[in-house]
Amino acid sequence: MDLIGTIVIAALRILEYTLIARIIMSWIPIPKDNQVVSQIVNVIYQITEPLLAPIRRGIEKLLKGQSMMIDFSPIVVFLIIQFLKNMMLNSMR
């Protein structure tokens, strides 16, 4: 269980860093003419969007269709990741 737990925790950390990169990318303009940068941006979006989209839709349902000024889905995903990491760390003890 230690090896599998360590791998899962490492994957969750990578996911956290990818989510942080996604958040930072939303704040700065990304040049579209650089093909390498565009590919990196696409990979980050492909990794994070399947996690963020369902949570974003769930938050919109809770707000009954009202639009959000701020996207809170990354915060919710961070909380879920922290919960999973804590569960893994507690089960490894």
Side-chain angles (χ1 to χ4, degrees):
M1 179 69 175
D2 288 334
L3 179 61
I4 294 172
T6 304
I7 292 170
V8 170
I9 289 171
L12 289 171
R13 284 193 181 133
I14 291 169
L15 190 57
E16 281 179 325
Y17 296 139
T18 307
L19 194 56
I20 290 169
R22 163 89 183 243
I23 292 167
I24 292 171
M25 286 183 335
S26 71
W27 296 339
I28 58 174
I30 307 280
K32 298 189 192 261
D33 57 344
N34 189 333
Q35 196 170 29
V36 175
V37 173
S38 293
Q39 288 177 346
I40 292 170
V41 169
N42 286 336
V43 168
I44 290 173
Y45 271 76
Q46 288 174 354
I47 291 169
T48 57
E49 191 60 26
L51 299 171
L52 296 174
I55 292 173
R56 196 177 297 124
R57 284 191 303 268
I59 291 172
E60 288 175 359
K61 283 183 184 178
L62 286 174
L63 296 174
K64 299 189 188 318
Q66 297 175 354
S67 63
M68 297 183 298
M69 295 294 289
I70 298 174
D71 185 9
F72 289 104
S73 58
I75 296 170
V76 175
V77 171
F78 271 119
L79 292 174
I80 292 169
I81 291 171
Q82 289 302 317
F83 176 75
L84 292 173
K85 280 178 24 182
N86 286 338
M87 282 184 45
M88 291 300 301
L89 290 172
N90 287 335
S91 69
M92 291 172 59
R93 291 182 187 164

Coordinates of all heavy atoms in Angstrom, one line a residue:
M1 N 0.8 -1.2 0.0 CA 0.0 0.0 0.0 C 0.9 1.3 0.0 O 0.4 2.3 -0.5 CB -0.9 -0.1 1.2 CG -1.8 1.1 1.4 SD -3.1 1.1 0.1 CE -4.0 2.5 0.6
D2 N 2.1 1.2 0.6 CA 2.9 2.4 0.6 C 3.3 2.9 -0.8 O 3.3 4.1 -1.0 CB 4.1 2.1 1.5 CG 3.8 2.0 2.9 OD1 2.8 2.6 3.4 OD2 4.6 1.4 3.6
L3 N 3.7 2.0 -1.7 CA 4.0 2.4 -3.0 C 2.9 3.0 -3.8 O 3.0 4.0 -4.4 CB 4.6 1.2 -3.8 CG 5.0 1.5 -5.2 CD1 6.1 2.5 -5.2 CD2 5.5 0.2 -5.9
I4 N 1.7 2.3 -3.7 CA 0.5 2.8 -4.4 C 0.1 4.1 -3.8 O -0.2 5.1 -4.5 CB -0.6 1.8 -4.3 CG1 -0.2 0.5 -5.1 CG2 -1.9 2.4 -4.8 CD1 -1.2 -0.6 -4.9
G5 N 0.1 4.2 -2.5 CA -0.2 5.5 -1.8 C 0.7 6.6 -2.2 O 0.3 7.8 -2.5
T6 N 2.0 6.3 -2.3 CA 3.0 7.3 -2.7 C 2.7 7.8 -4.1 O 2.8 9.0 -4.4 CB 4.4 6.8 -2.5 OG1 4.6 6.3 -1.2 CG2 5.5 7.8 -2.9
I7 N 2.4 6.8 -5.0 CA 2.1 7.2 -6.4 C 0.9 8.0 -6.5 O 0.9 9.0 -7.2 CB 2.0 5.9 -7.3 CG1 3.4 5.2 -7.3 CG2 1.5 6.2 -8.6 CD1 3.4 3.8 -8.0
V8 N -0.2 7.7 -5.8 CA -1.4 8.5 -5.8 C -1.2 9.9 -5.3 O -1.6 10.9 -5.8 CB -2.5 7.7 -5.0 CG1 -3.7 8.6 -4.8 CG2 -2.9 6.4 -5.7
I9 N -0.4 10.0 -4.2 CA -0.2 11.3 -3.6 C 0.7 12.1 -4.6 O 0.4 13.3 -4.8 CB 0.5 11.2 -2.2 CG1 -0.5 10.7 -1.2 CG2 1.1 12.5 -1.8 CD1 0.1 10.3 0.1
A10 N 1.6 11.5 -5.3 CA 2.4 12.2 -6.3 C 1.6 12.7 -7.4 O 1.7 13.8 -7.9 CB 3.6 11.3 -6.8
A11 N 0.6 11.9 -7.9 CA -0.3 12.2 -8.9 C -1.2 13.4 -8.5 O -1.4 14.3 -9.3 CB -1.1 11.0 -9.4
L12 N -1.6 13.4 -7.3 CA -2.5 14.5 -6.8 C -1.7 15.8 -6.7 O -2.2 16.8 -7.0 CB -3.1 14.1 -5.4 CG -4.1 13.0 -5.4 CD1 -4.5 12.6 -4.0 CD2 -5.4 13.5 -6.2
R13 N -0.4 15.7 -6.3 CA 0.4 16.9 -6.3 C 0.7 17.4 -7.7 O 0.6 18.7 -7.9 CB 1.8 16.6 -5.6 CG 1.7 16.5 -4.1 CD 3.0 16.5 -3.5 NE 2.8 16.4 -2.0 CZ 3.5 15.5 -1.3 NH1 4.4 14.7 -1.8 NH2 3.2 15.5 0.0
I14 N 0.9 16.6 -8.7 CA 1.1 17.0 -10.1 C -0.2 17.7 -10.5 O -0.2 18.7 -11.2 CB 1.5 15.8 -11.0 CG1 2.9 15.3 -10.6 CG2 1.3 16.2 -12.4 CD1 3.3 14.0 -11.3
L15 N -1.3 17.1 -10.1 CA -2.6 17.7 -10.5 C -2.8 19.1 -9.9 O -3.3 20.0 -10.5 CB -3.8 16.8 -10.1 CG -5.1 17.1 -10.6 CD1 -5.2 17.2 -12.1 CD2 -6.1 16.1 -10.0
E16 N -2.3 19.2 -8.6 CA -2.4 20.6 -8.0 C -1.5 21.6 -8.8 O -2.0 22.7 -9.0 CB -1.8 20.5 -6.6 CG -2.8 19.9 -5.5 CD -2.2 19.9 -4.2 OE1 -1.0 19.6 -4.1 OE2 -2.9 20.1 -3.2
Y17 N -0.3 21.2 -9.1 CA 0.6 22.1 -9.9 C 0.0 22.5 -11.2 O 0.1 23.6 -11.7 CB 1.9 21.5 -10.0 CG 2.7 21.3 -8.7 CD1 3.4 20.2 -8.5 CD2 2.6 22.3 -7.7 CE1 4.1 20.0 -7.2 CE2 3.3 22.1 -6.5 CZ 4.0 20.9 -6.3 OH 4.6 20.7 -5.1
T18 N -0.7 21.5 -11.9 CA -1.3 21.7 -13.2 C -2.4 22.7 -13.0 O -2.6 23.6 -13.8 CB -1.8 20.4 -13.8 OG1 -0.7 19.5 -13.8 CG2 -2.3 20.6 -15.2
L19 N -3.2 22.6 -11.9 CA -4.3 23.5 -11.7 C -3.8 24.9 -11.4 O -4.4 25.9 -11.8 CB -5.1 22.9 -10.5 CG -6.5 23.5 -10.3 CD1 -7.4 23.4 -11.5 CD2 -7.2 22.9 -9.1
I20 N -2.7 25.0 -10.6 CA -2.1 26.3 -10.4 C -1.7 26.9 -11.7 O -1.9 28.1 -11.9 CB -0.9 26.2 -9.4 CG1 -1.5 25.8 -8.0 CG2 -0.1 27.5 -9.3 CD1 -0.4 25.4 -7.0
A21 N -1.0 26.1 -12.6 CA -0.6 26.7 -13.9 C -1.8 27.2 -14.7 O -1.8 28.2 -15.3 CB 0.1 25.6 -14.7
R22 N -3.0 26.4 -14.6 CA -4.2 26.8 -15.3 C -4.7 28.2 -14.7 O -5.1 29.0 -15.5 CB -5.2 25.7 -15.1 CG -6.7 26.1 -15.4 CD -7.0 25.9 -16.9 NE -8.4 26.3 -17.2 CZ -9.3 25.5 -17.5 NH1 -9.1 24.2 -17.7 NH2 -10.5 26.0 -17.8
I23 N -4.7 28.3 -13.4 CA -5.1 29.6 -12.8 C -4.2 30.7 -13.3 O -4.7 31.8 -13.6 CB -5.2 29.4 -11.3 CG1 -6.2 28.4 -10.9 CG2 -5.4 30.8 -10.6 CD1 -6.2 28.0 -9.5
I24 N -2.9 30.5 -13.2 CA -2.0 31.6 -13.6 C -2.2 31.9 -15.1 O -2.2 33.1 -15.5 CB -0.6 31.2 -13.3 CG1 -0.4 31.2 -11.8 CG2 0.4 32.2 -13.9 CD1 0.9 30.6 -11.3
M25 N -2.4 30.9 -15.9 CA -2.6 31.2 -17.3 C -3.9 32.0 -17.6 O -3.9 32.7 -18.6 CB -2.7 29.9 -18.1 CG -1.4 29.2 -18.3 SD -1.4 27.7 -19.2 CE -3.0 27.1 -19.1
S26 N -4.8 31.9 -16.7 CA -6.1 32.6 -16.9 C -5.9 34.1 -16.6 O -6.7 35.0 -17.0 CB -7.2 32.1 -16.1 OG -7.0 32.4 -14.7
W27 N -4.8 34.5 -15.9 CA -4.5 35.8 -15.6 C -3.7 36.6 -16.5 O -3.6 37.8 -16.5 CB -3.9 35.9 -14.2 CG -4.7 35.4 -13.0 CD1 -6.0 35.3 -13.0 CD2 -4.2 35.0 -11.8 NE1 -6.4 34.8 -11.8 CE2 -5.3 34.6 -11.0 CE3 -2.9 34.9 -11.2 CZ2 -5.1 34.1 -9.7 CZ3 -2.8 34.4 -9.9 CH2 -3.9 34.1 -9.2
I28 N -2.9 35.8 -17.3 CA -1.9 36.5 -18.2 C -2.3 36.2 -19.7 O -2.8 35.1 -20.0 CB -0.5 36.0 -17.9 CG1 -0.3 34.5 -18.1 CG2 0.0 36.5 -16.6 CD1 1.1 34.0 -17.9
P29 N -2.0 37.1 -20.6 CA -2.2 36.8 -22.0 C -1.2 35.8 -22.5 O 0.0 35.8 -22.2 CB -2.0 38.2 -22.7 CG -1.2 39.0 -21.7 CD -1.5 38.5 -20.4
I30 N -1.7 34.8 -23.2 CA -0.9 33.7 -23.8 C -0.7 34.0 -25.3 O -1.7 34.2 -26.0 CB -1.6 32.4 -23.6 CG1 -2.0 32.1 -22.2 CG2 -0.7 31.3 -24.2 CD1 -0.9 31.7 -21.3
P31 N 0.6 34.1 -25.8 CA 0.8 34.3 -27.2 C 0.3 33.1 -28.0 O 0.7 32.0 -27.7 CB 2.3 34.5 -27.3 CG 2.8 33.9 -26.1 CD 1.8 34.0 -25.0
K32 N -0.5 33.3 -29.0 CA -1.0 32.2 -29.8 C -0.2 31.8 -31.0 O -0.4 30.8 -31.6 CB -2.4 32.6 -30.3 CG -3.4 32.8 -29.1 CD -4.8 32.9 -29.6 CE -5.7 33.4 -28.5 NZ -6.4 32.5 -27.7
D33 N 0.8 32.7 -31.3 CA 1.7 32.4 -32.4 C 2.8 31.4 -32.1 O 3.4 30.8 -33.0 CB 2.3 33.7 -33.0 CG 3.1 34.5 -31.9 OD1 2.9 34.2 -30.7 OD2 3.8 35.4 -32.3
N34 N 3.1 31.2 -30.8 CA 4.1 30.2 -30.4 C 3.5 28.9 -30.3 O 2.7 28.6 -29.4 CB 4.7 30.7 -29.1 CG 6.0 29.9 -28.7 OD1 6.1 28.7 -29.1 ND2 6.8 30.5 -27.9
Q35 N 3.9 27.9 -31.1 CA 3.3 26.6 -31.2 C 3.6 25.8 -29.9 O 2.7 25.1 -29.5 CB 3.8 25.9 -32.4 CG 2.9 24.7 -32.8 CD 3.3 24.2 -34.1 OE1 4.4 24.3 -34.6 NE2 2.3 23.6 -34.8
V36 N 4.8 25.9 -29.4 CA 5.1 25.1 -28.2 C 4.3 25.6 -27.0 O 3.7 24.7 -26.3 CB 6.7 25.3 -27.9 CG1 7.0 24.6 -26.6 CG2 7.5 24.7 -29.0
V37 N 4.2 26.9 -26.8 CA 3.3 27.4 -25.7 C 1.9 27.0 -25.9 O 1.2 26.6 -25.0 CB 3.5 28.9 -25.6 CG1 2.5 29.5 -24.6 CG2 4.9 29.3 -25.3
S38 N 1.4 27.0 -27.1 CA 0.0 26.6 -27.4 C -0.2 25.1 -27.1 O -1.3 24.8 -26.5 CB -0.3 26.9 -28.9 OG -0.4 28.2 -29.1
Q39 N 0.8 24.3 -27.4 CA 0.6 22.9 -27.1 C 0.6 22.7 -25.5 O -0.2 21.8 -25.0 CB 1.7 22.1 -27.7 CG 1.6 21.9 -29.2 CD 2.7 21.2 -29.8 OE1 3.8 21.0 -29.2 NE2 2.6 20.8 -31.1
I40 N 1.5 23.4 -24.8 CA 1.5 23.3 -23.4 C 0.2 23.7 -22.8 O -0.4 23.0 -21.9 CB 2.7 24.0 -22.8 CG1 4.0 23.4 -23.2 CG2 2.6 24.2 -21.3 CD1 5.2 24.2 -22.9
V41 N -0.4 24.8 -23.3 CA -1.6 25.3 -22.8 C -2.7 24.3 -23.1 O -3.6 24.1 -22.2 CB -1.9 26.7 -23.4 CG1 -3.4 27.1 -23.2 CG2 -1.0 27.8 -22.9
N42 N -2.7 23.7 -24.2 CA -3.8 22.7 -24.6 C -3.7 21.5 -23.7 O -4.7 21.0 -23.2 CB -3.6 22.3 -26.0 CG -4.1 23.4 -27.0 OD1 -4.9 24.2 -26.6 ND2 -3.6 23.3 -28.2
V43 N -2.5 21.1 -23.4 CA -2.4 19.9 -22.5 C -2.9 20.2 -21.1 O -3.6 19.4 -20.5 CB -0.9 19.4 -22.4 CG1 -0.6 18.5 -21.3 CG2 -0.5 18.8 -23.7
I44 N -2.5 21.4 -20.6 CA -3.0 21.8 -19.2 C -4.5 21.9 -19.2 O -5.1 21.4 -18.3 CB -2.3 23.1 -18.8 CG1 -0.8 22.9 -18.5 CG2 -3.0 23.7 -17.6 CD1 0.0 24.1 -18.3
Y45 N -5.1 22.5 -20.3 CA -6.6 22.6 -20.3 C -7.2 21.2 -20.4 O -8.2 20.9 -19.8 CB -7.0 23.5 -21.5 CG -7.1 24.9 -21.1 CD1 -6.0 25.7 -20.9 CD2 -8.4 25.5 -20.9 CE1 -6.1 27.0 -20.5 CE2 -8.5 26.8 -20.5 CZ -7.3 27.6 -20.3 OH -7.4 28.9 -19.9
Q46 N -6.6 20.3 -21.2 CA -7.1 18.9 -21.3 C -7.1 18.1 -20.0 O -7.9 17.3 -19.7 CB -6.4 18.1 -22.4 CG -6.7 18.6 -23.8 CD -5.8 17.9 -24.9 OE1 -4.9 17.2 -24.5 NE2 -6.1 18.2 -26.1
I47 N -6.1 18.4 -19.2 CA -6.0 17.8 -17.9 C -7.0 18.3 -16.9 O -7.6 17.6 -16.1 CB -4.5 17.9 -17.4 CG1 -3.6 17.1 -18.2 CG2 -4.4 17.4 -15.9 CD1 -2.1 17.3 -17.9
T48 N -7.1 19.6 -16.9 CA -7.9 20.3 -15.8 C -9.4 20.4 -16.1 O -10.2 20.4 -15.2 CB -7.3 21.7 -15.5 OG1 -7.3 22.5 -16.6 CG2 -5.9 21.5 -14.9
E49 N -9.7 20.6 -17.4 CA -11.1 20.9 -17.7 C -12.1 19.8 -17.3 O -13.2 20.0 -16.9 CB -11.3 21.3 -19.2 CG -12.6 21.8 -19.6 CD -13.0 23.1 -18.8 OE1 -12.1 23.8 -18.4 OE2 -14.2 23.3 -18.7
P50 N -11.7 18.5 -17.5 CA -12.6 17.4 -17.0 C -12.9 17.5 -15.5 O -14.0 17.0 -15.1 CB -11.9 16.1 -17.4 CG -11.0 16.5 -18.5 CD -10.6 17.9 -18.2
L51 N -12.0 18.1 -14.8 CA -12.3 18.2 -13.3 C -13.1 19.5 -13.0 O -14.0 19.4 -12.1 CB -11.0 18.3 -12.6 CG -10.1 17.0 -12.7 CD1 -8.7 17.3 -12.1 CD2 -10.7 15.9 -12.0
L52 N -12.8 20.5 -13.7 CA -13.4 21.8 -13.4 C -14.8 21.9 -14.0 O -15.7 22.5 -13.3 CB -12.6 23.0 -14.0 CG -11.2 23.1 -13.3 CD1 -10.4 24.2 -14.1 CD2 -11.3 23.4 -11.9
A53 N -15.1 21.4 -15.1 CA -16.4 21.6 -15.8 C -17.6 21.0 -15.0 O -18.6 21.7 -14.8 CB -16.4 21.0 -17.2
P54 N -17.5 19.8 -14.5 CA -18.7 19.3 -13.7 C -18.9 20.1 -12.4 O -20.1 20.4 -12.1 CB -18.3 17.9 -13.4 CG -17.1 17.5 -14.2 CD -16.5 18.8 -14.6
I55 N -17.8 20.5 -11.8 CA -18.0 21.3 -10.6 C -18.6 22.7 -10.9 O -19.4 23.2 -10.2 CB -16.6 21.4 -9.8 CG1 -16.3 20.0 -9.3 CG2 -16.7 22.5 -8.7 CD1 -14.9 19.9 -8.7
R56 N -18.1 23.3 -12.0 CA -18.6 24.6 -12.5 C -20.1 24.5 -12.7 O -20.9 25.3 -12.3 CB -17.9 25.0 -13.7 CG -18.0 26.5 -14.1 CD -17.2 26.8 -15.3 NE -15.8 26.7 -15.1 CZ -15.0 25.9 -15.8 NH1 -15.4 25.3 -16.9 NH2 -13.7 25.8 -15.5
R57 N -20.5 23.4 -13.4 CA -22.0 23.2 -13.7 C -22.8 23.0 -12.4 O -23.9 23.4 -12.2 CB -22.2 22.0 -14.6 CG -21.8 22.3 -16.0 CD -22.3 21.1 -17.0 NE -21.7 19.8 -16.6 CZ -20.6 19.3 -17.1 NH1 -19.9 20.0 -18.0 NH2 -20.2 18.1 -16.7
G58 N -22.2 22.2 -11.4 CA -22.8 22.0 -10.2 C -23.0 23.3 -9.4 O -24.1 23.5 -8.8
I59 N -22.0 24.2 -9.4 CA -22.1 25.5 -8.7 C -23.2 26.3 -9.4 O -24.0 27.0 -8.7 CB -20.8 26.2 -8.7 CG1 -19.8 25.5 -7.8 CG2 -21.0 27.6 -8.3 CD1 -18.4 26.0 -7.9
E60 N -23.3 26.3 -10.7 CA -24.3 27.0 -11.5 C -25.7 26.5 -11.1 O -26.6 27.3 -11.0 CB -24.1 27.0 -13.0 CG -22.9 27.8 -13.4 CD -22.6 27.7 -14.9 OE1 -23.2 26.9 -15.6 OE2 -21.6 28.3 -15.3
K61 N -25.8 25.2 -11.0 CA -27.1 24.6 -10.6 C -27.5 25.1 -9.2 O -28.7 25.4 -8.9 CB -27.1 23.1 -10.6 CG -27.2 22.6 -12.0 CD -27.2 21.0 -12.0 CE -27.3 20.5 -13.4 NZ -27.3 19.0 -13.4
L62 N -26.5 25.2 -8.3 CA -26.8 25.7 -6.9 C -27.3 27.1 -6.9 O -28.1 27.5 -6.1 CB -25.6 25.5 -6.0 CG -25.3 24.1 -5.5 CD1 -23.9 24.1 -4.8 CD2 -26.4 23.6 -4.7
L63 N -26.7 27.9 -7.9 CA -27.0 29.3 -8.0 C -28.3 29.5 -8.8 O -28.7 30.6 -9.1 CB -25.9 30.1 -8.6 CG -24.6 30.1 -7.7 CD1 -23.5 30.8 -8.4 CD2 -24.9 30.8 -6.4
K64 N -28.9 28.4 -9.3 CA -30.1 28.4 -10.1 C -30.0 29.2 -11.4 O -30.8 30.1 -11.7 CB -31.3 28.9 -9.3 CG -31.6 28.0 -8.1 CD -32.8 28.4 -7.4 CE -33.1 27.7 -6.2 NZ -33.0 26.4 -5.8
G65 N -28.9 29.0 -12.1 CA -28.7 29.6 -13.4 C -28.1 31.0 -13.4 O -27.8 31.6 -14.4
Q66 N -27.8 31.5 -12.2 CA -27.2 32.9 -12.2 C -25.7 32.7 -12.6 O -25.1 31.7 -12.3 CB -27.3 33.5 -10.8 CG -28.7 33.7 -10.3 CD -28.7 34.2 -8.9 OE1 -27.7 34.2 -8.2 NE2 -29.9 34.5 -8.4
S67 N -25.2 33.7 -13.3 CA -23.8 33.6 -13.7 C -22.9 34.0 -12.6 O -23.3 34.9 -11.8 CB -23.6 34.5 -15.0 OG -23.8 35.9 -14.6
M68 N -21.7 33.4 -12.6 CA -20.8 33.7 -11.6 C -19.7 34.8 -12.1 O -19.3 34.6 -13.2 CB -20.0 32.5 -11.2 CG -20.8 31.4 -10.6 SD -19.9 30.0 -10.0 CE -19.2 29.4 -11.5
M69 N -19.4 35.7 -11.3 CA -18.4 36.7 -11.7 C -17.0 36.0 -11.5 O -16.1 36.3 -12.2 CB -18.5 37.9 -10.8 CG -19.7 38.7 -11.0 SD -19.9 39.4 -12.7 CE -18.6 40.7 -12.6
I70 N -16.9 35.1 -10.5 CA -15.6 34.5 -10.2 C -15.8 33.0 -10.3 O -16.8 32.5 -9.8 CB -15.1 34.8 -8.8 CG1 -14.8 36.3 -8.7 CG2 -13.8 34.1 -8.5 CD1 -14.5 36.8 -7.3
D71 N -14.9 32.3 -10.9 CA -15.0 30.8 -11.1 C -14.4 30.2 -9.8 O -13.2 30.2 -9.6 CB -14.2 30.4 -12.3 CG -14.4 28.9 -12.6 OD1 -15.2 28.2 -11.9 OD2 -13.7 28.4 -13.5
F72 N -15.3 29.6 -9.0 CA -14.9 29.0 -7.7 C -14.5 27.5 -7.9 O -14.1 26.9 -6.9 CB -16.0 29.1 -6.7 CG -16.1 30.5 -6.2 CD1 -17.2 31.3 -6.6 CD2 -15.2 31.1 -5.3 CE1 -17.4 32.6 -6.2 CE2 -15.4 32.4 -4.9 CZ -16.4 33.2 -5.3
S73 N -14.7 27.0 -9.1 CA -14.4 25.5 -9.3 C -13.0 25.1 -9.0 O -12.8 24.0 -8.4 CB -14.8 25.1 -10.7 OG -14.2 25.8 -11.7
P74 N -12.0 25.9 -9.3 CA -10.6 25.5 -8.8 C -10.5 25.4 -7.3 O -9.8 24.5 -6.9 CB -9.7 26.6 -9.4 CG -10.5 27.2 -10.5 CD -11.9 27.1 -10.1
I75 N -11.1 26.2 -6.6 CA -11.1 26.1 -5.1 C -11.7 24.8 -4.6 O -11.1 24.1 -3.8 CB -11.8 27.4 -4.5 CG1 -11.0 28.6 -4.8 CG2 -11.9 27.2 -3.0 CD1 -11.8 29.9 -4.5
V76 N -12.8 24.5 -5.2 CA -13.5 23.2 -4.9 C -12.6 22.0 -5.2 O -12.4 21.1 -4.4 CB -14.9 23.1 -5.5 CG1 -15.5 21.8 -5.3 CG2 -15.8 24.2 -5.1
V77 N -12.0 22.1 -6.4 CA -11.1 21.0 -6.8 C -9.9 20.9 -5.8 O -9.5 19.8 -5.4 CB -10.6 21.1 -8.3 CG1 -9.5 20.1 -8.6 CG2 -11.8 21.0 -9.2
F78 N -9.3 22.0 -5.4 CA -8.2 22.0 -4.5 C -8.7 21.4 -3.2 O -7.9 20.6 -2.6 CB -7.7 23.4 -4.2 CG -6.6 23.9 -5.1 CD1 -6.8 25.0 -5.9 CD2 -5.4 23.2 -5.2 CE1 -5.8 25.4 -6.8 CE2 -4.4 23.6 -6.0 CZ -4.6 24.7 -6.8
L79 N -9.9 21.7 -2.7 CA -10.4 21.1 -1.5 C -10.5 19.6 -1.6 O -10.2 18.8 -0.7 CB -11.7 21.8 -1.1 CG -11.6 23.2 -0.6 CD1 -13.0 23.8 -0.4 CD2 -10.8 23.3 0.7
I80 N -11.0 19.1 -2.7 CA -11.2 17.7 -3.0 C -9.8 17.0 -3.0 O -9.6 16.0 -2.4 CB -12.0 17.5 -4.3 CG1 -13.4 17.9 -4.1 CG2 -11.9 16.0 -4.7 CD1 -14.2 18.0 -5.4
I81 N -8.9 17.6 -3.7 CA -7.5 17.1 -3.7 C -6.9 17.0 -2.3 O -6.3 16.0 -1.9 CB -6.6 17.9 -4.7 CG1 -7.1 17.7 -6.1 CG2 -5.1 17.5 -4.5 CD1 -6.4 18.6 -7.1
Q82 N -7.1 18.0 -1.5 CA -6.5 18.0 -0.1 C -7.2 16.9 0.7 O -6.5 16.2 1.4 CB -6.8 19.4 0.5 CG -5.9 20.5 0.0 CD -4.4 20.1 0.1 OE1 -4.0 19.6 1.1 NE2 -3.7 20.4 -0.9
F83 N -8.5 16.8 0.5 CA -9.2 15.7 1.2 C -8.7 14.3 0.8 O -8.4 13.5 1.7 CB -10.7 15.8 0.9 CG -11.6 14.7 1.5 CD1 -11.8 14.7 2.9 CD2 -12.0 13.7 0.7 CE1 -12.6 13.7 3.4 CE2 -12.8 12.7 1.3 CZ -13.1 12.7 2.6
L84 N -8.5 14.1 -0.5 CA -8.0 12.8 -0.9 C -6.6 12.6 -0.4 O -6.2 11.5 0.0 CB -8.0 12.8 -2.4 CG -9.4 12.7 -3.1 CD1 -9.3 12.8 -4.6 CD2 -10.2 11.4 -2.7
K85 N -5.7 13.6 -0.5 CA -4.3 13.4 0.0 C -4.3 13.1 1.5 O -3.6 12.2 2.0 CB -3.5 14.7 -0.2 CG -3.1 14.8 -1.6 CD -2.3 16.0 -2.0 CE -1.6 16.8 -1.0 NZ -0.9 18.0 -1.5
N86 N -5.2 13.8 2.3 CA -5.3 13.5 3.7 C -5.7 12.1 4.0 O -5.2 11.4 4.9 CB -6.2 14.5 4.4 CG -5.5 15.9 4.6 OD1 -4.3 16.0 4.5 ND2 -6.3 16.9 4.7
M87 N -6.7 11.6 3.2 CA -7.2 10.3 3.4 C -6.1 9.3 3.1 O -5.9 8.3 3.8 CB -8.4 10.0 2.5 CG -9.7 10.6 3.0 SD -11.1 10.2 1.9 CE -10.9 8.5 1.6
M88 N -5.3 9.5 2.0 CA -4.2 8.6 1.6 C -3.2 8.6 2.7 O -2.6 7.6 3.1 CB -3.6 9.0 0.3 CG -4.5 8.8 -0.9 SD -5.0 7.1 -1.1 CE -3.5 6.3 -1.3
L89 N -2.8 9.8 3.2 CA -1.8 9.9 4.2 C -2.2 9.2 5.5 O -1.4 8.5 6.2 CB -1.4 11.4 4.5 CG -0.6 12.0 3.4 CD1 -0.5 13.5 3.6 CD2 0.7 11.4 3.2
N90 N -3.5 9.4 5.9 CA -4.0 8.7 7.1 C -4.0 7.2 7.0 O -3.8 6.5 7.9 CB -5.3 9.3 7.5 CG -5.2 10.7 8.1 OD1 -4.2 11.1 8.6 ND2 -6.3 11.4 7.9
S91 N -4.3 6.7 5.8 CA -4.4 5.3 5.6 C -3.0 4.6 5.5 O -2.8 3.4 5.7 CB -5.2 4.9 4.3 OG -4.4 5.3 3.2
M92 N -2.0 5.4 5.2 CA -0.6 4.9 5.1 C 0.0 4.8 6.5 O 1.1 4.2 6.7 CB 0.2 5.8 4.2 CG -0.2 5.7 2.8 SD 0.6 6.8 1.6 CE 2.3 6.4 1.9
R93 N -0.6 5.5 7.5 CA 0.1 5.4 8.8 C -0.2 4.2 9.6 O -1.0 3.4 9.4 CB -0.5 6.6 9.7 CG 0.0 7.9 9.2 CD -0.5 9.0 10.0 NE -0.1 10.3 9.4 CZ -0.7 11.4 9.7 NH1 -1.6 11.5 10.6 NH2 -0.3 12.5 9.1

